[in-house]
Amino acid sequence: MIRVLVVDDDFRVADLHARYVSRVPGFEVAGVACTAAEAVELAARLRPHLALLDQYLPDDSGTSIAPRLGCDVIMLTAAAERAVVREALRRGVVNYLVKPFSEADLAERLRAYARFHGQLGGDHALA
């Protein structure tokens, strides 16, 4: 099971994303955070495999905290500026999805992440 931390400043959006995640086989929501500080604290405590991270948080930016989460990150954000996307990729974000998006869009990204996670997990060499 891939454990996911959902991070969005709007609790309604965070709840919606958590519901989307819970409907994708092989994924479970480990926690939900609405601030950068809460996200960093929950990530350290819950040790998720993946964070779904918004750029616009009340106390810091998603790109600033992404490396501190200690897990893979997919950005789910309205930030469509090229500089933000480049910064996210430089900081190790594995995928980027611009809001608004559909449940099917997120499910597709999660399934792609599951394939990525499966291939890079364990100690075996890549084929």
Side-chain angles (χ1 to χ4, degrees), residues 1-6 17-32 46-52 110 113:
M1 203 54 113
I2 296 173
R3 297 170 37 81
V4 180
L5 174 64
V6 177
H17 293 168
R19 281 187 276 135
Y20 286 176
V21 169
S22 68
R23 292 182 197 139
V24 178
F27 287 84
E28 69 180 0
V29 176
V32 176
L46 301 174
R47 313 284 297 169
H49 300 103
L50 176 66
L52 302 181
L110 291 174
Y113 175 78

Side-chain angles (χ1 to χ4, degrees), residues 68-90:
R68 297 187 346 223
L69 296 178
C71 63
D72 294 326
V73 174
I74 296 175
M75 297 290 293
L76 303 182
T77 181
E81 300 83 10
R82 292 174 190 201
V84 175
V85 176
R86 281 193 304 272
E87 181 67 17
L89 295 174
R90 274 196 298 272

Side-chain angles (χ1 to χ4, degrees), residues 11-121:
F11 72 91
R12 293 170 300 240
V13 172
D15 181 60
L16 178 65
H17 293 168
R19 281 187 276 135
Y20 286 176
V21 169
S22 68
R23 292 182 197 139
V24 178
F27 287 84
E28 69 180 0
V29 176
V32 176
C34 293
T35 68
E38 186 180 19
V40 171
E41 186 274 322
L42 283 177
R45 186 163 44 87
L46 301 174
R47 313 284 297 169
H49 300 103
L50 176 66
L52 302 181
L53 181 62
D54 189 14
Q55 172 67 2
Y56 301 120
L57 301 171
D59 52 340
D60 210 343
S61 67
T63 51
S64 293
I65 69 163
R68 297 187 346 223
L69 296 178
C71 63
D72 294 326
V73 174
I74 296 175
M75 297 290 293
L76 303 182
T77 181
E81 300 83 10
R82 292 174 190 201
V84 175
V85 176
R86 281 193 304 272
E87 181 67 17
L89 295 174
R90 274 196 298 272
R91 291 178 176 260
V93 170
V94 299
N95 212 318
Y96 201 101
L97 187 57
V98 177
K99 295 176 186 174
F101 52 82
S102 69
E103 181 174 358
D105 292 334
L106 180 55
E108 179 182 322
R109 302 295 172 104
L110 291 174
R111 287 190 296 271
Y113 175 78
R115 289 189 300 275
F116 166 80
H117 181 77
Q119 288 187 348
L120 295 181

